[in-house]
Amino acid sequence: MKSIIEALNWRYATKKMTDQKVPDEIVERIIKAAHLAPSGIGLQPYEIIAISNQELKQQILPIAMNQPQAVESSHLLVFAAWDNYTPERINGVFKHLNEQRNQEETVTERQKNFAISYFGNFTKEENFHHAAKQAHIALGLSVAAAALEKIDATPMEGFNPKQLDELLGLPEKGLRSSMLLALGYRDETNDYNLKAKKVRKPISEFLTEIK
């Protein structure tokens, strides 16, 4: 297995994909990486919708500003965050945790009450933005996992979230889309971005060390 640095140097913002299907077991591993991502208080306040249906991707294309990856990808992952932190949702997370660890609810009572109190101080919109940031941690791990698998993964923030939410019925689930991730294989013949040099700001402008 190549190192994570080698894998991230290999990846780039793929603009054109080939329609080739990514094997299910690889997609499952990429999603598993997101599933194992850390999140604040362990709440995992987001879900992933994995879309491989071509007709649905065609409907998403104009919503995604006609970016070709929306339809040329093998799978289009929608990272959908909770629209709010509620006591019911937080209670549900801790109930599941206690059941899985075979422990009494009193073990996590203090942490659960802190979460309910903490998020209760914020507006619904503020809570959504917090949840979306947690979802983006998972997205980052998905990108890294895909690179290790030599699968192209293009994060996409250029889309109309309200239209996508309505198309996928996310409001009924208490979810709002925050990011898209197109998974597939690069079109080496037609992707103008393939041979472009990978450029990042100098490390001296990126890193401040305090020793």
Side-chain angles (χ1 to χ4, degrees):
M1 180 182 293
K2 62 170 63 67
S3 75
I4 187 67
I5 299 302
E6 290 175 321
L8 291 176
N9 272 316
W10 170 85
R11 77 156 300 276
Y12 73 106
T14 310
K15 302 299 185 183
K16 293 283 292 179
M17 294 181 172
T18 64
D19 298 333
Q20 180 183 348
K21 291 299 179 185
V22 177
D24 289 342
E25 62 270 19
I26 295 180
V27 176
E28 288 170 6
R29 288 196 292 268
I30 292 169
I31 292 174
K32 186 65 175 178
H35 188 228
L36 290 171
S39 63
I41 320 180
L43 293 176
Q44 287 186 291
Y46 48 84
E47 298 179 17
I48 293 175
I49 297 95
I51 301 170
S52 57
N53 181 280
Q54 201 62 26
E55 291 183 6
L56 181 54
K57 288 193 290 180
Q58 286 287 350
Q59 293 180 63
I60 292 173
L61 180 61
I63 295 173
M65 300 182 180
N66 292 310
Q67 296 177 82
Q69 307 96 311
V71 291
E72 294 172 354
S73 61
S74 168
H75 291 72
L76 188 64
L77 305 187
V78 180
F79 285 73
W82 287 359
D83 62 0
N84 196 12
Y85 290 98
T86 64
E88 292 76 17
R89 278 175 154 162
I90 294 170
N91 282 325
V93 170
F94 282 96
K95 182 176 185 294
H96 176 69
L97 173 66
N98 291 324
E99 288 173 350
Q100 291 299 304
R101 291 182 176 174
N102 195 27
Q103 62 190 18
E104 296 297 324
E105 291 184 9
T106 53
V107 175
T108 57
E109 191 74 15
R110 182 177 178 182
Q111 189 180 29
K112 181 188 73 174
N113 289 339
F114 167 79
I116 292 171
S117 174
Y118 179 79
F119 291 111
N121 289 322
F122 300 108
T123 66
K124 183 176 181 180
E125 191 67 17
E126 287 171 330
N127 280 338
F128 164 71
H129 283 293
H130 184 278
K133 287 191 290 185
Q134 305 305 301
H136 296 172
I137 297 172
L139 180 139
L141 287 177
S142 297
V143 170
L148 285 167
E149 298 276 2
K150 275 211 161 182
I151 300 299
D152 288 292
T154 304
M156 301 163 64
E157 195 175 14
F159 66 97
N160 186 312
K162 289 186 178 180
Q163 291 182 7
L164 184 62
D165 293 352
E166 289 299 322
L167 177 64
L168 300 179
L170 297 186
E172 291 80 5
K173 300 177 181 179
L175 298 171
R176 292 169 59 182
S177 55
S178 61
M179 283 285 280
L180 303 178
L181 183 64
L183 300 178
Y185 295 96
R186 60 190 64 179
D187 183 342
E188 296 186 0
T189 302
N190 298 305
D191 192 344
Y192 68 89
N193 209 33
L194 173 60
K195 298 188 184 303
K197 181 180 179 180
K198 183 184 288 289
V199 178
R200 297 293 186 270
K201 66 170 67 176
I203 195 72
S204 61
E205 297 178 14
F206 177 76
L207 172 66
T208 298
E209 291 189 277
I210 303 174
K211 297 183 179 180

